[in-house]
Structure formats: structure tokens, C-alpha cells
Amino acid sequence: MFQESEHSHGFLKFLQQVLPVKAYEKLVAINDHSLLKWIAEMIQLARPSSIYVVTGSAEDLEYTTRAALERGEELPTKFSRHTVHFDGPKDLARDRKNTRILVRGGAPIPLINTYDKDLGTKEIYDISQGIMEGKEMFISFYCFGPKGSDFTMYAVQLTDSAYVVHSENILYRTCYDEFVEKAPNIRYAKFFHSAGERDSNGWSKNVDKRRIFIDIEDNVVYSVNTQYAGNTVGLKKLMLRLCVYTGYREGWLCEHMFIAGVRGPGGRVTYFTGAFPAGCGKTSTVFAADTVVGDDLAIIKSIDGVARGVNPEVGMFGIIDGVNSDDDPEIYEILTSPDTEVIFSNVLLMNGGEVWWRGKTGKPGFGINYAGKWWPGKRDEVGQELPPSHPNARFTTSIRYLRNLDPKIDDPAGVPIHGMIFGGRDPRTLPPVLEAFDWDHGIVTVGASLESEKTAAILERVGEMEFNPFAILDFLSISPGKFVELHFKFGENLTIKPRVFSVNYFLKDEAGRYIADKVDKRVWLKWMELRVHGESDAIRTPAGFIPVYQDLVKLFDVYLGKEYSEERYVKEFSLRVDQLIEKVERIWSIYSNIPDTPRRLFDILLEQKRRLEETRASLGSIVHPFKLDKH
Ligand code: SPV
Ligand code: MN
């Protein structure tokens, strides 16, 4: 702790001692003593051997990129701006168990992993004593949103990982100047990260002491003994939790959603957001749209009664597994161009500097991957063949490389959101596209009811549906009940409420075959675009609106040059009433155990169930769409 008096600040003296002159000057140009004091405290705790302040200048960016290579956090490839990072075999994904929301007294929040704030802070401080000894600490500053925007939040990252800073320099807008100009009149999050001790492979050694603790009250996140970006890159999923909490207190939405534009008649662009659990088509939906604003996160506020959204990021941290030149030509081109800047993580780096992942042309050859040296046919300790690249291997690159990047990506006012799409992996129940009756109905029966099939290897549980409301369950810092209530309130203040849609690309027929083609999502998007503008009819079912057959025939012809048979329509859009009722019951029972769920959610579920039961009584368990009325 630092000695304070009216005229002298102990923390300033300390900073002056430990920082090189230039770095000290850069820091104290930020007129925010509480920030400087926190930085001093963290330096005193972690005891780095040197400190580097990243202002975002070309020199600083260059320094960080070089440091990542020199320190073996990233490895070079045959292209100078493509590098490979390995997280290590025990650090390949987000750590749900050790990611906890710190709350005073450790009060439980339904479905959220909480921990007593004092105990958590003490634990982190104990683990972090001297954790940066012999290492350099980077201090960097970012905007979470466009510059000069009321949507934007701010963040300071302290880390001993050049890989984390390099990632953030790609994924976010560097923002040191804004701190100098605006602090202390800006609100910012503080991220403290250390990869901890690293072994000869560069992997974090003490993963048993991996902790990701999120202090929502003080806007601080601590992350130690881990490297995987979902655990370490402060502004990604750690910021999301802080942002959700701030939004809840202030009445706006921070969502795990993409933002994309769909072109309609006359060239108009209509914006949609979309929430999907991992592996359910989120990225492919973004690319099936016509313009891209963002691929992962959205901040949505009501401005003059209109929901407007910004993408707080400017880069993508995307799944690379399966990315191939036929299905994902644009991403593939970015990932294989010699001039782009890309960090590949947990792919195969072959001898000779070529990168390989599942989906890349050519065969994988000798090299290194997430588990060390790799050769064709290599087996792990239990005799299982080791895949060359990991299923959660990823790429980090700028969104600005995209040809169809939306010109409004940097617009401080964001874009108007006319529709929200929710999608899961659902083989049995939901049709490919469905529109809710209204905002509240959509929030309850689509967003808050989002589920996705488990694809884990636990055989007897495959096919079970996993509850993931708004595809944000892993990132919620408040109760799901409160999150639903927030959406109701948000809707009340809107004069134009976004339409709410459900999509499902994974419906199977009786023989267990997927019915839809990968490309079909483009048609569902175009249908939704027309619905938003009231330019397409629909059939009213007890669960929401579905497309009219003739409209789909036209859309398939115009956008895909394909015939759409009546047989397929009947397969895809026949209402599976028994399953829909079961879904309502499942969701009902989950929220029954969440005490702060608003009454209105149960009312809406009950109405839905009643409508479905009435339909079943008159039309049976599977209802042919032609038997239902046109709206
Ligand atoms: C996700 O899992 O939703 C991701 C990757 O976008 S992570 O950063 O790990 O959350
Ligand atoms: Mn995500």
C-alpha cells in the first residue's frame, strides 16, 4: 500500500521508480489517480522486471508483435505476418469451473458460478505474488466500441503476455489518446492477466492454479495461469460479463450477438443481430448476409425509440476447424493470403512454416501442434489418434479485411436493429425459420428458451438439449431471470421493436438425415428481411409465423437458383406439436427454479402451451402447414 499526503502520492513516486522515463511520462499523461494507483498496486503485487506502455503507435504495435515472437509465445510461419500460438493441451478452451463472478458474501446467482468477493480477491492476490518476476508487463488501452460514441466503453489491460496484447491490438481499437483526453471522465474496465510460469513448450505450467475472477462491482477482472484467449483477452468474454452488468443497471443490452446487414428490394439494408451457441451456424449466418458489422458481440441501446447497435470489436477470433475454400471462400482467402495479419492458435505448424487445419487443402505433415511434436498417425497416451489441429483451433484477424464489411462499422451512432435472430442445434423441434408474434413473445419463447443439442462425446447424453438463453449463459453476470426482465423493459421503451426470429439449420427427417442445405440460410435471411418491412405474408401457427410456400419457391429461385419442392416444405415446416409442448415444459421447469424470473415469462409460456394443446386436439401431433391459416 502507498503512503498518501495532500502533496505527495506514494504511488506516483513508486511508478517513477519502476518505470523508464518515457513510459512514466506516458502513464502520468493520463489524469486519473485512481487508475494510476491501481496500476502501481498491481506492479507491486506481480513484480514484473520491466514495464512497457502501449499507446497504439506503430512503434508500440511493432514492439509487441516482435516480443511475441522473440519470447516464443508465437512462432513464425512462411508468411511474415502470420504467426502461430499454442495454448497447451490443458488450456485449449474457456475454463467454466474456475471462471467466477465475485459478489459480496458470495451470494448465489441462479446458474452462475459466483464466489465471495473478499475470498476471491485474496486468492488471486496470493497466486499473483511475484507472478511476473523475470517478465515484462504490458500496459495497454482500448476502446470497446467506435471512437467518440456514446456506446463505447473503455479498458486497460495489464498482462505479461505479448500474445494477449497482440491479439487485442488486432481485435480492438487502441485508445490511449482517449484516456489522455478524457480520463477521469470515462468509465473503464481493468484487466489483470498473467500467463504464469511457462514450460519449455511455452505453455502455462500451473493450470491447476488457473483462475478467472470477475469483480463486477469494481469493474476488474483477474485472469492467471492461462493463455487461451477466451480466458485472457480482457475485452472479449471478460468484458462481456462486465458489460452485461452495466447494461442491466442502466437499461441497455450487451449481447453475445453478431450484427449483419441483409439487402432487400431497392438495395435497402436491414440490420439483424444473431445469437447462437458455439457450433450452431453463427459465423456462417454472418457470411450468408450481405454486409458484416460484427461477428460476436453487440451493444444495443434505445436511441429515440429505435434499437441501435454497435460492434465493440474490430477483429474476429473465429473457429478455424472446418474452414475450407468452397464453403468459406472469403475467410479462406484471408487466412491464406501472404499479406494479411493473422494469429493462428492451436493449428498444426508444419516443418517448413506452413500452417494446416482441418479444411485446408493438402495433407497435414510433420510439425508441431497443441500437444507438442506431431506426425501423421501420432497417438495420445490412451492410444487415440491425435488430430493435427484442435477442434477449437482459431484465427485472430482484422474484420477490416472483409470485402462485405459494412461501411457503418465505425459509425458512433451504430446501426438500427430491425430483427434479432436466435439459433440452436435442434434436430427435432423447431422449423428452419419462425417469427415470434411480438417482442415479448420472442424474448420468452425464442431468446430465453434457446437450447442446443449436446454434441459432447458422452454417448447417452447426445441428443439432450442444453439450455443456453440468448446464447449468453456462459457470460452472464446476472441471473437469467433478471436478463429476461431487462429485455422486457428494453422493449417497453422502443417505438419500433425488433422482430424476433428463431432459426434452426439442424432439423432432421424421420430417417435422421439433415433436411436443409448449408446455403439455405440465405433464403431464411431474405424472408426475414421482407417480414421486417411487412412485405411478405406468413402462416400463423400456435408458436409463431412461418413462411408461405409460394414465397419460398420464389426466394429459392432468385437467391439460390434452386427449386424448392413442396415435399421439402412440408417436411421442414410441419409443426411438431408434441416436441414444441415438451420444449415449453422443459423451459418452464428451468425458470421455475430461478426465483427472480418475471411472472410475465410464465404467462407467455402458459399461453403458448395452451395454443399448442388446442391445436393438437383439433389437428394432431404433426400439423401440415397447409392446414393452418394464412395471416
Ligand atoms: C465463443 O465461444 O463464443 C467464442 C470464443 O467466441 S471464446 O472467446 O472462447 O468465448
Ligand atoms: Mn462468442
Side-chain angles (χ1 to χ4, degrees), residues 94 228-230 236-237 256 278 282 296 317 392 394 475:
R94 281 184 278 108
Y228 174 67
K236 197 149 195 75
K237 295 306 175 15
H256 186 211
K282 185 171 176 177
D296 198 35
F317 175 59
N392 196 30
R394 292 191 174 247
F475 314 112

Side-chain angles (χ1 to χ4, degrees), residues 125-140:
Y125 273 64
D126 286 348
I127 295 175
S128 304
Q129 296 273 355
I131 200 167
M132 294 188 186
E133 267 168 17
K135 302 213 256 175
E136 182 159 64
M137 177 194 271
F138 293 87
I139 306 176
S140 46

Side-chain angles (χ1 to χ4, degrees), residues 266-433:
R268 74 181 169 216
V269 177
T270 305
Y271 293 98
F272 291 83
T273 60
F276 297 67
C280 297
K282 185 171 176 177
T283 309
S284 58
T285 307
V286 175
F287 288 102
D290 296 301
T291 75
V292 180
V293 181
D295 77 318
D296 198 35
L297 305 177
I299 297 177
I300 303 170
K301 295 190 177 183
S302 161
I303 313 282
D304 301 328
V306 177
R308 299 188 71 94
V310 304
N311 170 17
E313 309 186 285
V314 287
M316 298 177 283
F317 175 59
I319 294 186
I320 199 167
D321 189 48
V323 168
N324 66 79
S325 53
D326 286 340
D327 298 328
D328 321 280
E330 202 181 353
I331 292 284
Y332 194 84
E333 196 189 321
I334 293 168
L335 299 182
T336 51
S337 298
D339 302 326
T340 50
E341 181 177 20
V342 185
I343 309 173
F344 296 89
S345 53
N346 307 319
V347 296
L348 173 68
L349 174 60
M350 298 194 283
N351 301 343
E354 182 114 12
V355 161
W356 192 90
W357 65 86
R358 203 175 61 86
K360 178 114 187 251
T361 49
K363 282 210 166 69
F366 289 77
I368 22 178
N369 78 354
Y370 64 92
K373 280 203 173 135
W374 187 87
W375 54 89
K378 182 179 179 187
R379 293 180 184 276
D380 63 15
E381 314 87 67
V382 292
Q384 288 263 351
E385 201 157 315
L386 208 82
S389 70
H390 191 266
N392 196 30
R394 292 191 174 247
F395 63 85
T396 300
T397 197
S398 171
I399 203 166
R400 299 191 192 277
Y401 293 131
L402 296 179
R403 267 192 299 275
N404 53 357
L405 182 70
D406 196 280
K408 293 203 166 78
I409 172 98
D410 295 311
D411 194 326
V415 297
I417 306 297
H418 288 295
M420 284 192 179
I421 305 169
F422 295 91
R425 182 180 283 269
D426 175 358
R428 287 185 305 273
T429 309
L430 293 167
V433 64

Side-chain angles (χ1 to χ4, degrees), residues 33-316:
H33 279 185
S34 90
L35 174 60
L36 298 178
K37 192 166 174 213
W38 180 73
I39 292 174
E41 277 169 14
M42 298 323 280
I43 293 172
Q44 208 175 36
L45 174 71
R47 300 197 291 271
S49 60
S50 64
I51 297 159
Y52 192 91
V53 176
V54 182
T55 62
S57 67
E59 187 192 340
D60 292 349
L61 301 187
E62 221 279 300
Y63 179 83
T64 319
T65 311
R66 197 156 22 90
L69 282 169
E70 282 172 5
R71 295 164 201 185
E73 289 184 65
E74 292 172 28
L75 300 172
T77 73
K78 67 174 194 178
F79 296 138
S80 66
R81 299 177 77 213
H82 290 192
T83 56
V84 176
H85 167 79
F86 293 115
D87 291 307
K90 292 186 181 150
D91 198 20
L92 290 157
R94 281 184 278 108
D95 179 354
R96 276 182 175 165
K97 187 166 143 266
N98 289 304
T99 303
R100 308 179 78 173
I101 306 289
L102 300 185
V103 278
R104 252 169 230 290
I109 303 175
L111 305 183
I112 313 291
N113 191 0
T114 60
Y115 194 34
D116 177 72
K117 177 169 160 147
D118 294 337
L119 286 176
T121 311
K122 184 176 177 317
E123 195 172 323
I124 277 288
Y125 273 64
D126 286 348
I127 295 175
S128 304
Q129 296 273 355
I131 200 167
M132 294 188 186
E133 267 168 17
K135 302 213 256 175
E136 182 159 64
M137 177 194 271
F138 293 87
I139 306 176
S140 46
F141 303 86
Y142 300 98
C143 279
F144 193 64
K147 292 201 178 165
S149 165
D150 288 342
F151 288 79
T152 294
M153 300 169 85
Y154 299 84
V156 182
Q157 175 83 57
L158 310 188
T159 177
D160 57 14
S161 164
Y163 159 70
V164 166
V165 183
H166 184 198
S167 300
E168 287 180 331
N169 290 345
I170 295 173
L171 293 168
Y172 306 97
R173 298 165 176 92
T174 55
C175 227
Y176 168 79
D177 295 348
E178 302 260 312
F179 274 80
V180 172
E181 205 179 298
K182 296 181 177 154
N185 300 316
I186 49 172
R187 198 168 42 192
Y188 49 84
K190 296 178 286 211
F191 299 109
F192 172 83
H193 165 254
S194 172
E197 240 184 290
R198 291 162 62 220
D199 65 15
S200 57
N201 289 303
W203 307 334
S204 291
K205 234 179 181 173
N206 304 315
V207 282
D208 57 319
K209 292 207 181 68
R210 177 168 55 207
R211 300 287 183 275
I212 301 107
F213 285 176
I214 300 153
D215 179 345
I216 48 176
E217 212 173 273
D218 291 346
N219 255 326
V220 188
V221 184
Y222 310 92
S223 155
V224 292
N225 293 314
T226 174
Q227 297 187 45
Y228 174 67
N231 296 328
T232 59
V233 167
L235 285 94
K236 197 149 195 75
K237 295 306 175 15
L238 312 182
M239 186 66 150
L240 179 54
R241 277 108 162 173
L242 300 177
C243 183
V244 163
Y245 184 67
T246 310
Y248 172 68
R249 284 193 339 239
E250 297 180 358
W252 46 266
L253 307 176
C254 197
E255 301 274 12
H256 186 211
M257 290 177 173
F258 70 68
I259 307 178
V262 179
R263 269 202 195 93
R268 74 181 169 216
V269 177
T270 305
Y271 293 98
F272 291 83
T273 60
F276 297 67
C280 297
K282 185 171 176 177
T283 309
S284 58
T285 307
V286 175
F287 288 102
D290 296 301
T291 75
V292 180
V293 181
D295 77 318
D296 198 35
L297 305 177
I299 297 177
I300 303 170
K301 295 190 177 183
S302 161
I303 313 282
D304 301 328
V306 177
R308 299 188 71 94
V310 304
N311 170 17
E313 309 186 285
V314 287
M316 298 177 283

